[in-house]
Structure formats: structure tokens, C-alpha cells
Amino acid sequence: MFMAYYPLPKNLPPNFDVLIPFHQFASELVAELARLKIKILFQNEKIFLVEAVVIKPTWAQDWWPNSARLLLEGKAQAVRFLKSHANFGHYAPAEDSKIGKSLLKEIKNLEKKRIELGSLFKFSYFSWTVIDDSLIFCEKPYSRFPSGWHEFNEDKTFPPNRAYLKLWELFTVHTLPLDKSASVIELGASPGGWTWVLSQRFKKVYSVDRADLDKKIQKISNIEHHIGDAFQVDCDQFKDCSWLFSDIICTPQKAYDLIEYWMKNSRIKNYVCTIKFKGNCDFEILEKLLKIENSAVLHLYQNKNEVTWMRLAP
């Protein structure tokens, strides 16, 4: 999708919101804002200034609600303003700004750091950037981690692929209410990255795939793997499960149909499913999913051209 570039308006409203698009997904954010009828005041590949939004858009990596603008009259003025805050600030570059780089030499900056699994990071900070001759700032950004940057200190030895990072992000950043005594099922599990994570958080993990799990994953005692088609599973064989997880590669409609089948035919109330796109985001399917009670759609930092749909029991 072609993305227009707007000049920074001279007369911005007193307050507006800032959205940081996910890398390489700015056009998806443009399309989402158009569907939501939210006016874009300024945009480039790294940052959007928009009218106020009610909730963080799916394709926004970070959200700075109730942001404001300070017209820069000189470096000393900007330094005084940034140092007047009790908390550290986090600088998110919106462009190659000489002013922004110069200011960073004068103040302490809260840098992005890799996350440890299970991190309880709760540091109060404000976010700021420089566009042209304006300092744009937000006193209380949405993300717990600066810029919504969710890179982990990875386990590069045991997991068979990097898909496990999606669950690490969910369990660390979004802190799902997990019951360690529960049994869960994962559909389309091979080679077992998700299965490995789930085995550490639940009493029993049933996995289903036409292919075997990675040999290291197969040896984990609380995993029971079933060879078969994930779309042909008999729900009655897994009556003890209270969660369903799926990272299957399939069309959004097929994923929706699978979710609908399990919701109608099983007792499971908690779902975490990846909805994958081959081309543009299928907003119609996402709207259908969001009509399901107690559900949410997230684009995780670890997601690519896909989103994560969740439905939790009340």
C-alpha cells in the first residue's frame, strides 16, 4: 500500500496521540486507522501523530496518549524541559534529527534493553522525540517497556525454532492468568517451540500435528503428542483441557472456522491462536473474532505478518 507523507502541521491541536508502527507494518496501521476513522495529523515510517484514540490500535507497537508539542526556541530550553521531569525520559527517534542527538548528550536516557522471561519491569518514564523544530512528548506512554520494544534474552540452545518467543511475550508482557494445574492442547505443534513453553506452565500438554515433535521436546514427561490432522481432532478426547493454543499456518478463514468449531463443541474457555496473513491484513476476520465475548486481537512484537487472537474465560 502506498503511504502518503504529511508535513508536520504548524497548528497542531493542544493534545493528540502518538503511535509507533511496527517495523515494516506502517501501511497496515494506515489501513486500520482509516477503518476506525481516526485522522492522521502527521506520519512517516517511524511515527504517527493522530487524533485521540480510545484503545491501542492492533498495528501500533506503542501508543503515547495525550501527547503534546513544545516548539523549540533553543537547546537550553529543551534541556531544561527534559530535566524538569522527576522520571527518566525515553527518546524514540522519529527522524534523523541533529537536535535530538544533541539533546541526548545532555540528559540521561532510558534505553531499550532486552527482557528477561518473567520480568516485572515497572519503571515510570516519559517518552519524547523531535520532529523538525518541535519536541513531541508524552508523560505516560502505554507500554511498560520503552517503545513497546519486546526483544528477549533468548534461549538459543533448546527451542527448535523462534516461535516460542510469542508465548514468552504473552506470558511476560501481557501476564495471562495461568493455572499451573490445568491441562492444555496445542494444535499444529511441530516442531514444538510452543509445546516446550507450555510444558513449563501447565500440568499436562497435549500436542497434535502430522509430524513428530523435536526429539528434545518429545522427552519432556508432561507432553503427550498425537500424530494427526489438527483440523480433524475429536474434542471429546480432550475433555480435561481448559486452554487451546494454536500457531498453525493456514488462511485466516480456516483459523476462524477451527476456533468456532472448538468453541461450539468443547468445554474450553481460554484460547490463544495466531491468525496469519499471506498478503494484506484481513480486517473482516479480525472484526468477526472481536465479536466473540472476552476476546482481544494483538499484534505482538514477535508476530510477523500475523496477529494473535485471545479469548479468556470471564
Side-chain angles (χ1 to χ4, degrees):
M1 178 188 295
F2 173 77
M3 191 174 76
Y5 286 82
Y6 302 175
L8 188 65
K10 292 183 179 179
N11 296 313
L12 280 172
N15 295 100
F16 47 86
D17 286 8
V18 171
L19 301 174
I20 309 294
F22 284 98
H23 179 57
Q24 297 184 336
F25 292 106
S27 59
E28 281 75 7
L29 182 55
V30 171
E32 183 179 9
L33 294 173
R35 295 181 72 89
L36 296 172
K37 298 181 180 180
I38 295 172
K39 183 178 179 180
I40 299 173
L41 307 173
F42 169 85
Q43 69 181 89
N44 61 27
E45 289 286 349
K46 293 185 176 181
I47 200 165
F48 285 37
L49 275 58
V50 301
E51 293 179 334
V53 300
V54 178
I55 60 173
K56 186 175 81 69
T58 301
W59 292 95
Q61 179 174 309
D62 198 10
W63 170 31
W64 303 358
N66 200 32
S67 296
R69 171 195 207 176
L70 175 69
L71 282 172
L72 296 175
E73 299 172 356
K75 182 177 178 180
Q77 171 221 22
V79 170
R80 283 196 304 272
F81 173 79
L82 294 170
K83 287 186 175 181
S84 69
H85 292 75
N87 301 324
F88 283 138
H90 168 68
Y91 174 65
E95 58 186 16
D96 187 14
S97 170
K98 292 182 179 179
I99 300 173
K101 292 177 181 177
S102 178
L103 290 173
L104 280 177
K105 296 178 182 178
E106 303 291 332
I107 64 168
K108 292 183 179 180
N109 186 53
L110 181 62
E111 301 287 352
K112 296 181 291 188
K113 292 184 178 180
R114 289 187 176 271
I115 305 170
E116 295 291 343
L117 176 62
S119 171
L120 298 176
F121 180 93
K122 292 183 179 181
F123 194 89
S124 295
Y125 67 97
F126 69 97
S127 289
W128 64 279
T129 192
V130 175
I131 303 175
D132 297 339
D133 60 349
S134 297
L135 191 151
I136 308 296
F137 64 95
C138 172
E139 301 290 354
K140 293 184 178 180
Y142 174 85
S143 293
R144 186 154 53 99
F145 298 90
S147 287
W149 195 76
H150 300 154
E151 292 282 358
F152 282 84
N153 284 319
E154 302 182 27
D155 185 331
K156 296 184 178 181
T157 59
F158 197 90
N161 58 19
R162 298 183 75 249
Y164 75 94
L165 290 168
K166 301 173 195 176
L167 290 185
W168 272 22
E169 182 176 350
L170 271 178
F171 297 158
T172 300
V173 178
H174 299 281
T175 57
L176 301 191
L178 304 182
D179 178 0
K180 292 184 178 181
S181 66
S183 296
V184 306
I185 183 169
E186 184 195 352
L187 302 177
S190 182
W194 276 31
T195 312
W196 170 67
V197 175
L198 296 173
S199 71
Q200 298 169 346
R201 283 159 178 76
F202 294 101
K203 180 181 178 180
K204 181 78 174 182
V205 181
Y206 299 100
S207 57
V208 181
D209 201 294
R210 288 176 174 174
D212 284 324
L213 298 178
D214 180 272
K215 290 181 179 179
K216 290 183 292 185
I217 308 298
Q218 290 182 41
K219 295 178 182 179
I220 299 174
S221 61
N222 64 333
I223 294 173
E224 182 180 307
H225 187 56
H226 295 251
I227 298 293
D229 187 341
F231 294 95
Q232 301 296 327
V233 176
D234 181 359
C235 300
D236 290 337
Q237 294 183 15
F238 303 98
K239 289 183 178 180
D240 58 328
C241 292
S242 56
W243 285 78
L244 183 146
F245 292 84
S246 171
D247 194 31
I248 297 176
I249 299 175
C250 65
T251 66
Q253 183 61 54
K254 197 168 183 179
Y256 178 83
D257 292 342
L258 183 66
I259 291 166
E260 191 175 45
Y261 167 78
W262 278 84
M263 291 191 65
K264 287 182 177 179
N265 296 285
S266 77
R267 301 175 182 176
I268 293 175
K269 302 298 182 184
N270 302 287
Y271 294 81
V272 175
C273 302
T274 306
I275 310 298
K276 299 175 183 286
F277 311 115
K278 286 188 176 180
N280 294 332
C281 173
D282 188 340
F283 286 102
E284 286 77 15
I285 285 291
L286 300 191
E287 288 170 3
K288 287 172 67 175
L289 287 167
L290 284 171
K291 289 179 181 178
I292 299 172
E293 187 178 10
N294 300 317
S295 68
V297 171
L298 306 173
H299 185 280
L300 302 174
Y301 182 87
Q302 305 297 334
N303 282 140
K304 295 180 181 178
N305 190 22
E306 60 191 17
V307 297
T308 298
W309 173 78
M310 294 190 304
R311 194 265 188 184
L312 303 181

